[in-house]
Amino acid sequence: MQGRQLPPSSPRTDVPEAVRVQILATEHWSLLATRSITYGAIFNRASIFLTVVSAAVVALALVAQATEFGDRFYVFALRVLPLALFIGVATYISIIDARIEDFWLVSGMNRLRHAYLEIAPELEPYFVTSHHDDEQGLYETYGPGTDVRLIRQLASTSMLVGAIDAALAGVIAGLVAKAVGAGSELSLVISAVVTSVIVVLLVYATRRITERGRRLFKPRFARLGQ
């Protein structure tokens, strides 16, 4: 008997409306709890990364004072900063994954609101969030003005972490250039160029990754004509 699959049961039409509402509400609270856990994970990872960066800066200041920016300072900096950058990149990736997951969770909650309004359509004027699971409906649920994606992206936690990652990469590039004999001015130029290039690449990569993740989600209750 092991391994046999039961045939799919036919949909029941005799389920009381109160039971339907209870099932929908249970799923709604489950999605809310999952979304809360996702946001908590984002803030915890970002806090850990910022703590690591702060500790690295303090350590570098102490070593610089003790070594007077000698060779030992460069050796120490090129050991500590790549580790901080690695943690930052891992944090950035996890935040992007969490953003895509949040998009999926909001889509699910919009579908549940659609089901609520199928049961009681007269309540639609009292909903401030959307009951459509298309892209416009998701932005309506996130709040007014969130359809301006570039501005929202620049103010996001992922962009904050990405900017710090870019600065770390720029500092590492400048230190490497200085260590191999480049002058101070050239090292600063290299550091600034690397930082700027990585910021632009992160903005571009973030938009591509999030948009590709959102395209994988197929709306079921989109507005007519979409």
Side-chain angles (χ1 to χ4, degrees):
M1 298 295 292
Q2 186 175 3
R4 291 185 58 185
Q5 296 183 352
L6 296 176
S9 58
S10 57
R12 296 184 56 180
T13 58
D14 59 340
V15 179
E17 187 173 285
V19 176
R20 295 176 184 270
V21 172
Q22 184 177 2
I23 293 172
L24 293 172
T26 302
E27 175 67 6
H28 203 151
W29 282 109
S30 176
L31 295 179
L32 283 173
T34 305
R35 196 178 181 205
S36 177
I37 293 172
T38 300
Y39 272 101
I42 290 175
F43 294 137
N44 287 336
R45 290 296 297 269
S47 297
I48 292 172
F49 172 57
L50 293 177
T51 301
V52 170
V53 172
S54 300
V57 171
V58 172
L60 287 173
L62 295 175
V63 173
Q65 184 177 5
T67 63
E68 297 182 352
F69 291 96
D71 293 339
R72 288 181 295 174
F73 169 77
Y74 290 99
V75 172
F76 181 79
L78 291 176
R79 288 183 177 180
V80 172
L81 292 180
L83 176 61
L85 178 60
F86 173 78
I87 296 174
V89 171
T91 302
Y92 180 81
I93 294 173
S94 67
I95 291 176
I96 294 299
D97 287 340
R99 286 181 60 185
I100 296 174
E101 181 181 351
D102 188 65
F103 184 87
W104 171 69
L105 293 171
V106 173
S107 300
M109 289 190 286
N110 282 12
R111 286 184 179 181
L112 292 174
R113 294 188 192 94
H114 195 278
Y116 294 147
L117 293 177
E118 286 182 347
I119 297 173
E122 70 277 3
L123 297 179
E124 182 176 1
Y126 304 100
F127 280 66
V128 296
T129 50
S130 178
H131 57 278
H132 297 287
D133 59 352
D134 53 16
E135 189 170 1
Q136 182 180 349
L138 294 170
Y139 286 131
E140 290 176 359
T141 297
Y142 277 119
T146 53
D147 55 332
V148 186
R149 286 177 283 181
L150 181 59
I151 296 177
R152 179 178 174 84
Q153 181 178 336
L154 292 175
S156 64
T157 305
S158 61
M159 197 61 230
L160 170 64
V161 173
I164 297 175
D165 287 343
L168 287 173
V171 171
I172 293 172
L175 289 174
V176 171
K178 184 69 175 177
V180 298
S184 299
E185 294 182 359
L186 179 59
S187 299
L188 288 174
V189 171
I190 293 174
S191 178
V193 169
V194 170
T195 300
S196 302
V197 169
I198 292 180
V199 167
V200 172
L201 290 177
L202 285 177
V203 172
Y204 176 76
T206 299
R207 295 191 66 176
R208 289 293 301 273
I209 293 172
T210 54
E211 287 176 1
R212 183 173 59 183
R214 291 172 180 179
R215 283 197 299 267
L216 295 176
F217 188 87
K218 304 299 182 183
R220 295 183 178 177
F221 303 104
R223 287 173 174 80
L224 295 179
Q226 294 191 4

